[in-house]
């Protein structure tokens, strides 16, 4: 199976099986090593993932994007907050710092609370997490659809303006929610980037947030991005979780997301083609 | 010495709060120990701690438990199973002298084997803290640990691979495609082991049945495993699933393992259940364990120990159950525990050395996440170093990219690189199979067949049929 144009490279005809998986199968080989094109493809994917982790959140651009979308703009101007992690290096080594607000941010939330007419039902937090790219590319688009779906409900909950957090971890929503007296908090956050998914947004819902809650008290939606879980489906699932958390007065493991249950597919017995071989 | 340890240097006296504190401060730097607040506060304090540790009699570890005997079943396991006769060969030595002994020609492979029941994980962790990377490699090379199920793992000059065909939705066609890729690149003699996306007994049975049918159909001298919780595997065995190996992630304190949802009695029950199936053909090592520095701290169960000492204690758990395979998942846990390539490489070599010295068939998931300061070059370095050290097995996945767990580990190609560069062969039974199936043209030169072997040509169309010559 050597290629007449590049005889040093042996190609793998089973590469066509990539229609069944995103795994990097059938890469071919130069000797026993990766062909140059495959080596560089991998390097590009890794570079994008690394840049997602290390590029700072462009707060002015995100603020502008929120101002340009009607539903998000109606929430009022975003409040910009910061965790106790001063920079990315500290953030990566000290997850505990990323879960706590800077002193200045605590003061600013105190000021915000004074302007609210009552404690909010839902605090909306947007944090860079481990992928600023995910937030930059997906947070505004998701939020617009979600706010639209939320507004179509019988009772529209009282919401906070978007609360943008730099160097934030998921649990940063706990002190924010508590300081505002919010019933619930959602944290839109950049997930740890995979090689083929540098732009995955995660959303975590916590009912009755306060510092020190275990992760088992949160519900999570993952892999929200154009090539993953769509904004529309994510919005519907989040609305379901918010309603259920309100009904149960808690969130986390006690709240099973039955909208997301995977049924075992008994019909796919034949898909192990290594044994069946031919079409059944 | 309950009052702590002191070390006099010139007019300055350095103090260490207790043995656990001394061990922690003597540990080469890593972010997890900083996070736990147990790391040396200066480079000088670290070396002074190493000097103090070097003068400590080895037998101290028998009288001073790092985690109290009353509180921790792993401490009880370590001390109750200690063999005082075996220990006599080094019982008069300090930790520093023990390093010299291990590197000396007195420490033959046979002498190390005889000594093993007399060693505790704390002794082994302690001496590793005084060793350079080359020491860790040289001593590990002398350790021979051979295990067997359907093939023989760990022979000299051999390097095995776990074929890891993970898929984000456990799609069988996707898993089959990755298994095919791996087999045709000569991988999979340690185990064909899937991390399931859906972690349930029903899914475990489905996947076990699938891989078992592949192993039987092609007569592959290897074993399967679905890496689910030990209690799921016990249930799958009760339901009649074809279980070769029982998997569990383990840690070095009782509290860590309780956090993982099991204790030593659970592992015993699982081992007995797997043994009762009598599915091994050349041996009966039925357990597969994964470990990794930082797991105890992340479970908030490190008991004031440094993460490397905790990790070594996990190997005492492992060796009690005669596993076929144990591997540290060294770079998976993230930069808050091992920050960069340098820390990951050091930890990988430490874990391999400690496991081997304690008698565990130690492999390594040579890996990193995208938020760690590491890249493929760091993994090449660690792979080469571990290959030289005689590492038992590594992972093999398509193109280094695990699309389910979202991290990077060694690829099928990487294993072939190590075979060629270091003249390492797969398990002998598997090597014969690769030749008979015409997957390898020449195993001596690590030369693959440029054409698709006949037995696999029908698979090129996948589950949906079509013309393979498209």
């Amino acid at each position: 199976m050597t290629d007449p144009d590049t005889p040093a490279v042996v190609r793998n005809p089973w590469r066509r099986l990539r229609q069944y998986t995103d795994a990097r199968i059938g890469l071919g080989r130069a000797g026993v090593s990766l062909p140059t094109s495959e080596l560089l493809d991998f390097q590009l994917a890794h570079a994008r993932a690394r840049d997602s982790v290390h590029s700072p959140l462009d707060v002015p651009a995100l603020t502008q994007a929120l101002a340009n979308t009607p539903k998000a703009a109606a929430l009022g101007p975003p409040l910009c907050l910061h965790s106790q992690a001063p920079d990315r290096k500290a953030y990566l080594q000290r997850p505990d710092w990323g879960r706590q607000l800077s002193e200045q941010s605590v003061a600013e939330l105190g000021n915000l609370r004074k302007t609210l007419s009552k404690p909010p039902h839902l605090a909306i937090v947007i944090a860079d997490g481990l992928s600023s790219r995910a937030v930059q590319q997906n947070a505004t688009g998701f939020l617009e659809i979600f706010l639209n779906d939320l507004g179509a409900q019988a009772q529209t909950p009282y919401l906070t303006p978007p609360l943008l957090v730099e160097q934030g971890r998921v649990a940063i929503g706990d002190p924010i929610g508590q300081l505002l007296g919010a019933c619930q908090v959602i944290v839109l956050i950049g997930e740890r980037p995979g090689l083929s998914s540098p732009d995955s947004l995660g959303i975590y819902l916590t009912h009755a947030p306060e510092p020190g809650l275990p992760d088992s008290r949160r519900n999570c939606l993952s892999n929200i991005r154009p090539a993953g879980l769509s904004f529309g489906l994510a919005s519907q699932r989040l609305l379901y979780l918010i309603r259920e958390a309100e009904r149960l007065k808690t969130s986390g493991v006690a709240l099973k997301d039955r909208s997301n249950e995977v049924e075992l597919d008994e019909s796919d017995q034949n898909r192990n083609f290594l044994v069946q071989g031919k079409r059944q | 010495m309950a009052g702590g340890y002191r070390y006099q240097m010139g007019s300055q006296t350095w103090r260490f709060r207790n043995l656990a504190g001394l061990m922690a401060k003597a540990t080469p730097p890593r972010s997890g120990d900083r996070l736990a607040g147990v790391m040396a506060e200066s480079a000088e304090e670290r070396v002074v701690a190493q000097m103090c540790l070097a003068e400590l009699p080895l037998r101290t570890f028998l009288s001073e438990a790092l985690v109290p005997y009353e509180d921790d079943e792993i401490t009880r396991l370590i001390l109750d199973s200690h063999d005082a006769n075996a220990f006599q060969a080094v019982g008069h030595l300090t930790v520093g002298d023990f390093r010299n002994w291990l590197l000396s020609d007195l420490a033959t492979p046979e002498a190390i084997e005889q000594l093993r029941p007399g060693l505790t994980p704390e002794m082994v962790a302690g001496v590793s803290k005084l060793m350079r990377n080359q020491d860790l490699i040289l001593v590990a090379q002398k350790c021979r640990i051979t295990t067997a199920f359907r093939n023989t793992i760990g022979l000299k000059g051999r390097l095995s691979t776990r074929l890891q065909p993970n898929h984000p939705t456990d799609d069988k066609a996707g898993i089959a495609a990755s298994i095919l890729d791996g087999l045709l690149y000569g991988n999979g003699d340690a185990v064909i082991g899937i991390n399931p996306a859906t972690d349930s007994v029903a899914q475990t049975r489905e996947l076990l049945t699938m891989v078992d049918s592949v192993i039987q159909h092609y007569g592959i001298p290897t074993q399967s495993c679905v890496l689910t919780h030990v209690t799921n595997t016990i249930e799958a065995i009760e339901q009649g699933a074809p279980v070769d190996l029982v998997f569990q992630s383990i840690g070095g304190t009782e509290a860590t393992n309780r956090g993982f949802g099991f204790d030593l009695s659970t592992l015993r029950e699982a081992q007995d259940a797997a043994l009762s199936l009598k599915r091994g053909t050349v041996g009966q090592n039925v357990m597969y364990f994964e470990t990794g520095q930082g797991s105890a701290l992340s479970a908030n169960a490190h008991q004031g120990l440094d993460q490397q000492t905790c990790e070594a204690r996990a190997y005492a758990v492992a060796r009690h159950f005669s596993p076929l395979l144990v591997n540290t998942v060294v770079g998976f846990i993230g930069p808050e525990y091992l920050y960069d390539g340098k820390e990951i490489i050091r930890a990988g070599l430490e874990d391999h050395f400690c496991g081997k010295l304690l008698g565990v068939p130690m492999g390594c998931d040579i890996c990193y996440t995208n938020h760690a300061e590491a890249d493929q070059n760091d993994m090449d370095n660690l792979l080469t170093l571990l290959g030289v050290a005689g590492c038992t097995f590594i992972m093999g996945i398509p193109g280094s990219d695990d699309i389910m767990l979202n991290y990077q580990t060694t690829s099928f190609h990487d294993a072939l690189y190590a075979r060629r560069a270091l003249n390492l062969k797969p398990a002998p039974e598997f090597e014969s199979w690769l030749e008979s199936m015409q997957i390898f043209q020449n195993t001596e030169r690590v030369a693959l067949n440029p054409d698709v072997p006949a037995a696999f040509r029908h698979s090129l169309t996948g589950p949906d049929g079509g013309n393979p010559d498209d």
Side-chain angles (χ1 to χ4, degrees):
Chain A
M1 299 283 171
T2 45
D3 189 319
D5 298 328
T6 51
V9 172
V10 177
R11 305 215 177 265
N12 297 143
W14 61 91
R15 190 185 175 96
R16 78 187 73 198
L17 297 173
R18 279 197 170 198
Q19 63 185 297
Y20 303 107
T21 180
D22 290 333
R24 291 169 195 254
I25 61 166
L27 295 179
R29 56 192 176 84
V32 297
S33 302
L34 282 182
T36 304
S37 58
E38 299 297 344
L39 169 72
L40 293 175
D41 271 359
F42 181 99
Q43 294 299 89
L44 180 63
H46 185 235
R48 285 179 173 156
R50 297 280 299 153
D51 285 346
S52 299
V53 173
H54 289 278
S55 303
L57 185 64
D58 187 343
V59 174
L62 183 57
T63 306
Q64 188 60 50
L66 290 165
N68 290 343
T69 47
K71 295 280 180 191
L75 296 173
L79 184 63
C80 299
L81 305 169
H82 208 288
S83 78
Q84 284 185 7
D87 55 36
R88 193 81 318 204
K89 187 172 182 191
Y91 174 86
L92 289 172
Q93 296 195 47
R94 293 297 301 260
D96 49 333
W97 290 350
R99 297 181 193 121
Q100 298 165 52
L101 289 163
S102 71
E103 269 182 47
Q104 192 189 337
S105 294
V106 170
E108 285 175 15
L109 279 170
N111 293 336
L112 173 66
R113 181 168 188 172
K114 286 176 203 154
T115 69
L116 300 174
S117 58
K118 57 183 177 181
H121 288 115
L122 186 66
I124 298 173
V125 176
I126 303 175
D128 47 6
L130 284 167
S131 171
S132 60
R133 180 181 177 139
V135 171
Q136 221 86 47
Q137 291 186 357
N138 298 320
T140 310
F142 166 79
L143 198 59
E144 195 62 10
I145 288 177
F146 170 69
L147 292 172
N148 210 33
D149 290 346
L150 199 62
Q153 300 201 118
Q155 283 184 320
T156 309
Y158 186 53
L159 307 173
T160 64
L163 307 161
L164 312 186
V165 188
E166 290 179 87
Q167 311 294 2
R169 299 256 173 193
V170 169
I172 198 80
D174 294 348
I176 292 174
Q178 188 187 50
L179 285 165
L180 295 177
C183 301
Q184 297 181 338
V185 61
I186 54 169
V187 180
L188 281 60
I189 191 164
E191 299 188 307
R192 193 182 87 197
L195 216 51
S196 52
S197 54
D199 57 340
S200 271
L201 188 74
I203 301 180
Y204 290 79
L205 168 72
T206 310
H207 188 87
E210 59 177 340
L213 289 181
D215 287 336
S216 57
R217 272 277 274 103
R218 310 181 203 291
N219 292 91
C220 171
L221 297 170
S222 185
N223 195 29
I224 300 163
R225 61 195 178 103
L229 181 61
S230 70
F231 294 164
L233 200 52
S235 171
Q236 289 305 314
R237 286 204 184 143
L238 182 58
L239 283 174
Y240 168 88
L241 291 172
I242 286 172
R243 281 195 304 269
E244 283 295 291
E246 179 59 36
R247 187 175 68 80
L248 297 166
K249 303 292 176 212
T250 189
S251 55
V253 290
L255 197 179
K256 288 266 183 267
D257 182 1
R258 300 198 187 282
S259 67
N260 190 25
E261 277 196 352
V262 181
E263 296 291 328
L264 287 185
D265 184 0
E266 299 294 334
S267 69
D268 71 358
Q269 297 289 345
N270 301 332
R271 291 173 62 78
N272 176 15
F273 57 83
L274 285 175
V275 173
Q276 260 81 15
K278 296 281 172 9
R279 187 201 298 271
Q280 301 293 303
Chain B
M1 292 287 278
Y5 288 82
R6 295 193 314 180
Y7 194 83
Q8 191 75 32
M9 188 179 281
S11 61
Q12 195 178 356
T13 305
W14 296 78
R15 291 171 202 280
F16 303 96
R17 64 181 157 87
N18 54 21
L19 186 52
L22 178 66
M23 291 276 275
K25 300 229 166 183
T27 306
R30 64 205 61 195
S31 52
D33 289 343
R34 188 179 305 121
L35 186 63
V38 299
M39 193 171 88
E41 281 164 37
S42 66
E44 185 177 4
E45 188 188 24
R46 177 171 300 111
V47 180
V48 173
Q50 289 169 346
M51 289 172 164
C52 185
L53 182 61
E55 293 182 1
L56 187 82
L58 266 186
R59 61 177 182 277
T60 311
F61 291 108
L62 298 175
S63 56
E64 209 168 318
L66 295 184
V67 182
Y69 184 91
E70 302 72 33
D71 300 347
D72 189 283
E73 65 174 354
I74 297 174
T75 302
R76 294 196 288 278
L77 175 72
I78 291 166
L79 294 177
D80 294 352
S81 63
H82 182 256
D83 183 336
N85 286 332
F87 181 61
Q88 273 183 356
V90 297
H92 57 294
L93 300 180
T94 62
V95 178
D97 291 337
F98 184 42
R99 175 184 169 276
N100 291 330
W101 186 88
L102 286 169
L103 289 163
S104 78
D105 294 335
L106 297 170
T108 60
E110 295 73 29
I112 290 174
E113 193 167 333
Q114 283 163 15
L115 171 62
R116 224 168 244 144
L119 292 179
T120 68
E122 289 85 355
M123 295 174 191
V124 170
V127 75
S128 79
K129 296 175 193 299
L130 308 182
M131 296 172 101
R132 281 172 49 191
N133 288 0
Q134 63 165 263
D135 303 342
L136 299 173
I137 291 170
L138 210 49
V139 177
Q141 268 191 344
K142 298 198 231 183
C143 300
R144 303 275 158 72
I145 295 118
T146 308
T147 59
F149 190 77
R150 281 195 199 100
N151 56 17
T152 314
I153 308 277
L155 294 167
K156 192 171 166 55
R158 308 272 171 177
L159 172 70
S160 294
T161 51
R162 166 185 162 193
L163 201 170
Q164 182 172 309
N166 295 345
H167 188 277
T169 61
D170 294 332
D171 180 81
K172 291 205 185 100
I175 289 171
S178 287
I179 292 177
L180 177 71
D181 198 48
L183 292 175
L184 294 183
Y185 274 96
N187 278 237
D189 52 334
V191 61
I192 300 177
I194 305 174
N195 298 89
T198 301
D199 203 2
S200 68
V201 177
Q203 185 69 291
T204 299
R205 289 179 56 191
E206 284 280 313
L207 295 176
L208 283 168
T209 304
M210 173 186 172
V211 181
D212 185 54
S213 70
V214 174
I215 288 175
Q216 288 197 29
H217 184 85
Y218 295 95
I220 312 172
T222 190
Q223 34 283 330
S224 74
C225 188
V226 172
L227 284 75
T228 187
H229 194 266
V230 60
T231 54
N232 283 348
T233 304
I234 291 172
E235 217 175 307
I237 291 173
E238 286 165 358
Q239 294 177 10
V243 171
D244 291 342
L245 304 182
V246 176
F247 171 81
Q248 184 54 46
S249 290
I250 58 172
T253 66
E254 181 180 338
T256 306
N257 292 335
R258 290 210 182 274
F260 289 164
F262 74 93
D263 59 18
L264 296 178
S265 68
T266 324
L267 297 180
R268 171 63 66 203
E269 184 192 346
Q271 185 187 22
D272 289 345
L275 283 171
S276 74
L277 300 180
K278 298 189 169 62
R279 291 174 58 84
T281 51
V282 298
Q284 291 300 328
N285 300 107
V286 296
M287 304 300 279
Y288 173 18
F289 296 120
E290 281 191 341
T291 66
Q293 292 190 26
S295 63
L297 176 59
S298 91
N300 199 22
H302 63 294
Q303 317 255 23
L305 303 193
D306 67 87
Q307 64 186 31
Q308 191 251 337
T309 301
C310 268
E311 171 74 5
R313 284 168 54 97
Y315 308 149
V317 175
R319 75 170 168 178
H320 189 64
F321 296 97
S322 309
L324 182 77
L325 305 165
V326 178
N327 67 265
T328 171
V329 193
V330 71
F332 186 74
I333 193 161
E336 61 267 44
Y337 300 93
L338 295 167
Y339 183 66
D340 57 14
K342 186 179 172 110
E343 292 184 10
I344 291 171
I345 288 168
R346 173 74 196 181
L349 292 173
E350 288 167 348
D351 293 352
H352 178 254
F353 162 84
C354 290
K356 284 287 171 72
L357 194 51
L358 287 166
V360 166
M362 202 68 198
C364 185
D365 190 339
I366 298 166
C367 63
Y368 65 107
T369 57
N370 287 321
H371 63 318
E373 287 294 318
D375 60 21
Q376 293 294 89
N377 291 329
D378 295 308
M379 299 303 108
D380 289 346
N381 292 350
L382 182 53
L383 170 58
T384 308
L385 295 171
L386 283 173
V388 174
C391 183
T392 303
F393 71 105
I394 58 173
M395 307 300 121
I397 62 169
S400 292
D401 178 6
D402 190 311
I403 57 172
M404 203 283 277
L405 294 172
N406 273 335
Y407 79 123
Q408 285 90 251
T409 181
T410 43
S411 68
F412 302 140
H413 291 73
D414 290 339
L416 297 179
Y417 148 75
R419 295 200 189 297
R420 270 201 177 170
L422 302 170
N423 191 26
L424 297 169
K425 294 184 167 47
E429 299 86 348
F430 193 79
E431 183 185 10
S432 303
W433 180 81
L434 290 174
E435 276 178 348
S436 69
M437 297 298 283
Q438 299 174 315
I439 291 171
F440 273 43
Q441 217 169 36
N442 182 320
T443 49
E444 285 303 319
R445 288 189 295 112
V446 194
L448 290 165
N449 187 343
D451 297 313
V452 179
F456 295 96
R457 265 174 220 151
H458 73 90
S459 294
L460 298 186
T461 57
D464 301 321
N467 182 355
D469 298 321
D470 281 351

